[in-house]
């Protein structure tokens, strides 16, 4: 005959582990996917009218840019995968500030590989050079991007005209 005894400390340990496990399962089940945080109230209102979701095809990407008034060539100039760095240097931190200014934040995607699509903008006013629209897409969702000139001393701006 075997007799096994348990101390109150052992029961308490397994109880805490069980409660922690239940809490973890509840978090996974009920927490939605990452959403872009709106930086200001005006950007929050703007993000309600702009859809960042369900970007799966070339037509979806063109329609996304059209929401901001941009007309682009029908096929991307470049399509590639890029990895968001785990730690941001000065340049990438400044680029993320541009993203945060338009209600997006790349820090939530640090270390992840995303798709980057580059389109040539055809309706940028008062500028004679080449202008590109860059979209960063992760799992069918726009997580960042910009409108920029091809010149080395050019400009970079958010999606809003």
């Amino acid at each position: 005959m075997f007799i096994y005894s348990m101390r109150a400390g052992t029961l308490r340990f397994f109880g805490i582990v069980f409660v922690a496990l239940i809490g973890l399962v509840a978090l996974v089940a009920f927490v939605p996917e990452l959403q872009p945080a709106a930086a200001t109230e005006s950007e929050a209102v703007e993000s309600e009218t702009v859809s960042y979701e369900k970007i799966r095809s070339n037509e979806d990407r063109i329609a996304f840019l059209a929401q901001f008034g941009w007309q682009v060539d029908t096929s991307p100039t470049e399509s590639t995968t890029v990895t968001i760095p785990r730690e941001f240097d000065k340049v990438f931190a400044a680029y993320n500030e541009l993203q945060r200014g338009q209600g997006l934040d790349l820090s939530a995607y640090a270390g992840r590989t995303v798709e980057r699509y580059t389109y040539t903008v055809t309706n940028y006013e008062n500028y004679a050079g080449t202008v590109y629209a860059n979209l960063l897409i992760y799992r069918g969702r726009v997580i960042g991007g910009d409108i920029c000139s091809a010149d080395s001393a050019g400009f970079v701006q958010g999606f809003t005209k």
Side-chain angles (χ1 to χ4, degrees):
M1 175 190 278
F2 292 99
I3 298 174
Y4 185 75
S5 64
M6 294 183 72
R7 297 181 304 170
T10 306
L11 288 174
R12 188 178 318 133
F13 171 75
F14 284 114
I16 291 171
V17 169
F18 180 73
V19 169
L21 186 61
I22 294 297
L24 182 62
V25 169
L27 280 174
V28 169
F30 297 112
V31 174
E33 288 186 41
L34 295 173
Q35 300 292 324
T40 65
E41 185 177 317
S42 64
E43 290 167 350
V45 171
E46 181 180 307
S47 68
E48 291 175 357
T49 60
V50 175
S51 174
Y52 292 89
E53 303 284 337
K54 298 178 184 167
I55 309 294
R56 304 215 189 295
S57 67
N58 187 51
E59 291 76 23
D60 294 340
R61 294 186 294 270
I62 292 171
F64 173 81
L65 291 167
Q67 294 177 105
F68 296 97
W70 299 115
Q71 295 173 358
V72 296
D73 288 342
T74 57
S75 61
T77 305
E78 182 180 34
S79 172
T80 188
T81 58
V82 295
T83 301
I84 308 294
R86 290 194 186 278
E87 295 183 26
F88 294 173
D89 61 4
K90 283 186 206 178
V91 173
F92 208 87
Y95 185 72
N96 195 41
E97 284 304 312
L98 171 72
Q99 300 310 310
R100 293 181 73 191
Q102 59 185 358
L104 303 169
D105 188 2
L106 295 175
S107 63
Y109 301 94
R112 306 224 178 175
T113 300
V114 302
E115 297 290 325
R116 185 187 73 205
Y117 296 93
T118 303
Y119 291 88
T120 302
V121 175
T122 59
N123 68 332
Y124 196 90
E125 298 174 0
N126 302 324
Y127 187 75
T130 304
V131 177
Y132 294 118
N134 294 297
L135 293 175
L136 297 174
I137 298 178
Y138 181 73
R139 293 185 178 177
R141 172 181 189 71
V142 175
I143 62 166
D146 61 80
I147 306 297
C148 66
S149 69
D151 299 332
S152 60
F155 62 87
V156 177
Q157 70 177 57
F159 294 126
T160 306
K161 277 189 165 185

